[in-house]
Amino acid sequence: MAVTHYNVAVVGATGAVGRTMLDILETRRFPIAEIKALASARSAGKKVLFAGSILDVQETTPEAFEGIDIALFSAGASVSKKFAPIAAEAGAVVIDNTSQFRRDDDIPLVVPEVNRADIFKHNGIIANPNCSTIQMLVALDPIRKAAGIERLVISTYQAVSGAGASAMEEARLQCQATIEGKTVQPSIFPHPIAFNVLPHIDVFQDNGYTKEEMKMVWETRKIFGEPNLRVSATCVRVPVLTGHSEAVNVETRDKIEASKVRELLEKTPGVTVVDDPANLQYPMPMNAAGTDPVYVGRIREDLSHDKALNLWIVSDNLRKGAALNAVQIAEEWIKGE
Amino acid sequence: MAVTHYNVAVVGATGAVGRTMLDILETRRFPIAEIKALASARSAGKKVLFAGSILDVQETTPEAFEGIDIALFSAGASVSKKFAPIAAEAGAVVIDNTSQFRRDDDIPLVVPEVNRADIFKHNGIIANPNCSTIQMLVALDPIRKAAGIERLVISTYQAVSGAGASAMEEARLQCQATIEGKTVQPSIFPHPIAFNVLPHIDVFQDNGYTKEEMKMVWETRKIFGEPNLRVSATCVRVPVLTGHSEAVNVETRDKIEASKVRELLEKTPGVTVVDDPANLQYPMPMNAAGTDPVYVGRIREDLSHDKALNLWIVSDNLRKGAALNAVQIAEEWIKGE
């Protein structure tokens, strides 16, 4: 059978997520006719690798989207705001990894394992959810289907790569400097991240929550299609390079045992259960980085509530939290409804 | 007025907490007649500093407690189990920083700001609570008194120094090695802690919770005198040297506004409110390390529950979490009822 091949553009190809998108398109053998690496004028002329070839990075211009079938955007909300409608107008399906369109009613926000059908409701743009939301929902959806979810209380332990490649470099250099007893001047983060934790990701909102915390509320409701779901989040940056971790307290509508949750998650696509305390096995960012699954462990019934559970959820924020989920949306889109 | 002076022994004087005890006894000008630095046979002969003098570390033996008025123990539960009753029998008041006696009904477990009166119920031994519990209760007690507490959902971000001085060294060396691209062999922790987080502190219990998590349940109930208080904890080690952080979701009996909580905490002894998101000010372990207060910030009403709040609580685990609280118990004890 003939396989259709697609012209694909990656916007933000020199960033941490953009490079991971190229890597994932290659390793998953996405059916590509032609690939285009786009970035800011400043990055134009750089080279990136794809499938053994060197791609010249081009400036993102309206003309760059001519003939493109699928455009994966991860170059910041302002770039998406300007160019995603242009790309869609030119006939591309845009899969946008920024927060620009996620809350728009007419733009689907998709985690393929959860709401695949929403992909086909798009008008040219499909939004890729926030990293911390994606991994949580992959793990929670089977519980929601089995027992309903009443309320979530979330604390995150988020890696610096969520803030981009330069944030990773800042964290590395700061750790080195701190060990050598030198003073550390932060530039990407508002405070030093080496040997420190920051209860602050993205900008503060008027209600005292950060935008990252509110994304977990808004996006969880939209993807689950439960506009009144009760969600409370505290989002924290930790000195980890890649791999977000989350302590999630899940209050369910119906009682569900930890053993049943473990059993459900063990057969959930995209999830790997790592839950063997006797052998000191539980999910850790160290093991998740560079891999695709959402890892779930520390699955236990909440001693303080007769219909609640505690879970520990870890995944690579650049892969399932960003690039992989975007490519999976593209894969499902080309498969069709 | 004549001031009584006391013969004080510090057991575990070469450890991270023991050294901090000596430092705090000195800087708070505890009325000391004679001070004795005790440790294991292995550490005997080492030197520690106290008030400009060098103390010879002696082996902990039954005879070492003769004439001692106050014995501060922080050398592990097995040392306390063996020697605390001997010290008490010899006439000393033991203030024990280990978990050995904390759950014993006839041994008070004290955070002076919360349950000072319990100090005077002792039969020779007073237990110092776990680090993560102490800082949380200092911050929660005013809320409990004003509005009652129904339930706590806690996620911790705990520093490596909670596992001792050698754990701090392991974390430093591992970070250095990781930056240099070398392989890291953990020894104190079961897995590498550099650029990683471990959802595992102290040993796993049969119920799937760790002992550290259960300590937060047991000790909170005992200190607050509320044996049925509902508490759920996830305790996590992060690559921070000193300073524990906690994301705490507090469900209250009566509705209490965030502004009221802020006002209450601003006048609570031992608490410093750092809660100015507009100027990116919130508690961080980096700033808490080496200082005495319990820092509270990110004070906000829970959007998912009409009688709940979210707090972010940070303190130096070696000081208020251990050595300072122990010395404060001694200070209150000598003041009398």
Side-chain angles (χ1 to χ4, degrees):
Chain A
M1 196 180 85
V3 174
T4 311
H5 284 68
Y6 299 85
N7 294 334
V8 177
V10 172
V11 184
T14 58
V17 173
R19 283 174 194 271
T20 309
M21 284 171 165
L22 289 168
D23 174 44
I24 288 173
L25 286 167
E26 176 184 339
T27 53
R28 290 173 75 93
R29 301 177 176 277
F30 193 87
I32 289 176
E34 205 183 314
I35 187 140
K36 207 177 250 192
L38 302 175
S40 63
R42 193 167 40 87
S43 289
K46 285 189 181 173
K47 314 280 184 194
V48 289
L49 281 171
F50 180 76
S53 309
I54 293 171
L55 303 181
D56 287 308
V57 177
Q58 300 172 40
E59 186 182 347
T60 310
T61 59
E63 298 71 35
F65 296 99
E66 281 167 24
I68 294 295
D69 301 304
I70 298 171
L72 303 173
F73 274 71
S74 193
S78 60
V79 174
S80 291
K81 185 178 182 180
K82 183 171 173 188
F83 288 103
I86 292 171
E89 186 63 32
V93 172
V94 171
I95 301 168
D96 181 33
N97 189 48
T98 77
S99 64
Q100 181 60 33
F101 303 106
R102 290 183 191 148
R103 298 185 67 197
D104 291 9
D105 285 338
D106 55 348
I107 291 184
L109 182 67
V110 177
V111 179
E113 293 89 339
V114 179
N115 61 334
R116 180 185 188 278
D118 288 351
I119 291 173
F120 306 96
K121 297 174 187 162
H122 78 81
N123 294 311
I125 301 174
I126 301 165
N128 202 48
N130 187 40
C131 43
S132 40
T133 307
I134 294 175
Q135 68 180 62
M136 181 175 76
L137 299 203
V138 170
L140 292 184
D141 197 46
I143 301 172
R144 182 175 77 97
K145 284 179 178 142
I149 292 179
E150 290 287 328
R151 181 176 175 229
L152 300 169
V153 179
I154 308 150
S155 300
T156 71
Y157 303 69
Q158 294 182 234
V160 295
S161 57
S166 50
M168 295 175 78
E169 192 54 19
E170 174 161 311
R172 266 197 220 94
L173 293 173
Q174 268 182 10
C175 283
Q176 179 76 47
T178 307
I179 288 166
E180 291 167 359
K182 293 179 188 157
T183 313
V184 171
Q185 284 303 328
S187 108
I188 307 286
F189 296 113
H191 305 282
I193 184 65
F195 301 104
N196 196 25
V197 303
L198 276 66
H200 169 199
I201 299 179
D202 210 331
V203 294
F204 280 97
Q205 310 289 290
D206 289 342
N207 64 0
Y209 286 80
T210 59
K211 194 171 171 192
E212 186 81 0
E213 289 161 353
M214 294 311 301
K215 284 175 193 167
M216 296 199 82
V217 180
W218 298 325
E219 299 184 14
T220 298
R221 289 173 174 173
K222 179 166 174 173
I223 297 162
F224 276 168
E226 301 196 18
N228 300 313
L229 190 66
R230 294 154 61 204
V231 181
S232 182
T234 300
C235 290
V236 180
R237 191 74 74 186
V238 296
V240 165
L241 294 177
T242 299
H244 286 356
S245 306
E246 301 173 333
V248 183
N249 185 274
V250 189
E251 192 180 319
T252 53
R253 184 192 61 224
D254 308 323
K255 168 81 181 166
I256 182 166
E257 265 114 48
S259 56
K260 176 70 182 166
V261 169
R262 206 170 286 114
E263 190 186 296
L264 280 175
L265 289 173
E266 272 165 358
K267 45 186 194 194
T268 299
V271 169
T272 298
V273 173
V274 182
D275 196 16
D276 183 6
N279 291 305
L280 310 183
Q281 296 301 308
Y282 29 73
M284 295 186 292
M286 187 184 85
N287 296 335
T291 75
D292 288 348
V294 172
Y295 298 89
V296 188
R298 302 294 327 273
I299 303 166
R300 57 216 197 277
E301 285 154 43
D302 181 346
L303 305 173
S304 79
H305 194 291
D306 64 353
K307 290 184 196 162
L309 299 153
N310 285 307
L311 305 178
W312 177 252
I313 304 167
V314 180
S315 194
D316 183 322
N317 51 299
L318 299 178
R319 296 180 74 89
K320 185 57 188 171
L324 173 61
N325 196 72
V327 173
Q328 286 173 320
I329 291 172
E331 288 172 346
E332 296 306 316
W333 178 69
I334 64 176
K335 276 187 211 160
E337 268 185 278
Chain B
M1 198 180 85
V3 175
T4 311
H5 283 68
Y6 299 84
N7 294 334
V8 176
V10 173
V11 183
T14 58
V17 172
R19 285 173 193 271
T20 309
M21 284 171 165
L22 290 168
D23 174 45
I24 289 174
L25 287 166
E26 176 185 339
T27 53
R28 291 174 74 93
R29 301 176 176 279
F30 193 86
I32 288 175
E34 206 182 311
I35 186 140
K36 207 175 253 190
L38 302 176
S40 64
R42 194 167 39 89
S43 290
K46 284 189 181 173
K47 316 281 184 192
V48 289
L49 282 172
F50 180 77
S53 309
I54 294 170
L55 303 181
D56 287 307
V57 176
Q58 300 171 41
E59 187 183 345
T60 310
T61 60
E63 299 69 36
F65 296 100
E66 280 166 26
I68 294 296
D69 301 305
I70 299 170
L72 304 173
F73 275 71
S74 192
S78 60
V79 174
S80 292
K81 185 178 182 180
K82 181 170 175 190
F83 287 105
I86 293 172
E89 186 63 31
V93 172
V94 171
I95 301 167
D96 181 33
N97 189 49
T98 78
S99 63
Q100 181 59 35
F101 304 107
R102 288 183 192 148
R103 298 185 67 196
D104 290 8
D105 285 339
D106 55 348
I107 292 184
L109 182 67
V110 178
V111 179
E113 294 88 339
V114 178
N115 61 335
R116 180 185 189 279
D118 288 350
I119 291 173
F120 306 97
K121 297 174 187 161
H122 77 81
N123 295 311
I125 302 174
I126 302 165
N128 202 47
N130 186 39
C131 44
S132 39
T133 308
I134 294 175
Q135 68 181 62
M136 181 175 75
L137 298 202
V138 171
L140 293 184
D141 197 46
I143 300 170
R144 183 176 75 96
K145 284 178 178 143
I149 293 178
E150 291 287 331
R151 181 176 176 230
L152 300 169
V153 179
I154 307 151
S155 300
T156 70
Y157 303 68
Q158 295 183 232
V160 294
S161 57
S166 50
M168 295 174 76
E169 192 55 19
E170 174 161 311
R172 266 198 220 93
L173 293 174
Q174 267 182 10
C175 283
Q176 179 78 47
T178 307
I179 288 166
E180 291 167 0
K182 294 179 188 156
T183 312
V184 171
Q185 283 305 327
S187 111
I188 307 288
F189 296 114
H191 305 282
I193 184 65
F195 301 104
N196 195 24
V197 303
L198 276 66
H200 170 200
I201 300 179
D202 210 331
V203 294
F204 280 96
Q205 310 290 290
D206 290 341
N207 65 1
Y209 287 81
T210 60
K211 195 171 171 193
E212 185 82 0
E213 290 162 353
M214 293 312 300
K215 284 177 194 167
M216 297 199 82
V217 180
W218 298 325
E219 299 184 14
T220 297
R221 289 173 173 173
K222 178 166 174 174
I223 297 163
F224 276 169
E226 300 195 18
N228 301 312
L229 190 66
R230 294 154 59 204
V231 181
S232 181
T234 300
C235 290
V236 180
R237 191 75 73 186
V238 296
V240 165
L241 294 178
T242 299
H244 285 356
S245 306
E246 300 172 334
V248 183
N249 186 274
V250 190
E251 192 180 320
T252 53
R253 184 192 61 225
D254 308 322
K255 168 82 182 165
I256 183 166
E257 263 115 48
S259 56
K260 175 70 181 168
V261 170
R262 206 170 284 115
E263 192 186 293
L264 281 174
L265 288 173
E266 273 165 357
K267 46 187 195 195
T268 299
V271 169
T272 298
V273 173
V274 182
D275 196 15
D276 183 7
N279 291 305
L280 309 183
Q281 296 302 306
Y282 29 73
M284 294 186 292
M286 187 184 85
N287 296 334
T291 76
D292 289 347
V294 172
Y295 298 89
V296 188
R298 304 291 328 270
I299 304 166
R300 57 215 198 278
E301 285 154 44
D302 180 346
L303 305 172
S304 78
H305 194 291
D306 64 352
K307 289 184 195 163
L309 299 152
N310 284 306
L311 305 177
W312 176 252
I313 303 168
V314 180
S315 193
D316 183 323
N317 51 300
L318 298 178
R319 297 179 73 87
K320 185 57 186 171
L324 173 62
N325 196 71
V327 173
Q328 286 173 321
I329 291 172
E331 288 172 347
E332 297 305 315
W333 177 69
I334 65 177
K335 275 187 208 159
E337 270 186 274

